[in-house]
Amino acid sequence: MAKLLFNLRNVPEDEADEVRALLTEHGVDWYETRPGPWGVSHGGLWLRDAEAWPEARRLLDGYQQARREQAREQAGLHQGETFIELLRARPGYVLPRLFAIVAIVALVLALPWLLLR
């Protein structure tokens, strides 16, 4: 009986390709279902034989751990600017937007008082 190994919902195409290659490389008998046309089903990678589940899961867990570590490394290298750093570097960009936000919040908070007067 078939068993779902990997749901393809919100999975980048490069990751799905790497998982397909990993399963094929290790001789795992699998097949793929494609997403439905209306977005109801998202497709997945299935094992033809449920007995292959432990080995396939071990392979997939190892792959996902390596991908997670790689993503964390890349995220650590590309940290964004903090608010203060952006304010110091581009005050002409930040200050007008900050004043607009404060004005909108003040207007929203003052609106009931203005209407009830």
Side-chain angles (χ1 to χ4, degrees), residues 11-82:
V11 174
E13 195 59 36
D14 68 317
E15 181 177 0
D17 289 341
E18 290 173 0
V19 170
R20 290 181 195 108
L22 177 73
L23 294 175
T24 302
E25 177 184 322
H26 286 86
V28 177
D29 191 17
W30 62 276
Y31 67 95
E32 180 175 355
T33 54
R34 289 289 181 188
W38 297 286
V40 175
S41 64
H42 293 281
L45 301 178
W46 295 76
L47 297 176
R48 293 188 193 277
D49 183 14
E51 292 177 10
W53 169 261
E55 176 65 17
R57 190 72 245 175
R58 184 188 63 77
L59 288 170
L60 190 57
D61 288 344
Y63 165 77
Q64 288 179 326
Q65 178 65 31
R67 186 164 174 105
R68 184 180 310 115
E69 290 171 6
Q70 178 186 10
R72 286 185 178 156
E73 274 181 26
Q74 289 177 352
L77 296 175
H78 301 291
Q79 290 183 349
E81 294 178 293
T82 65

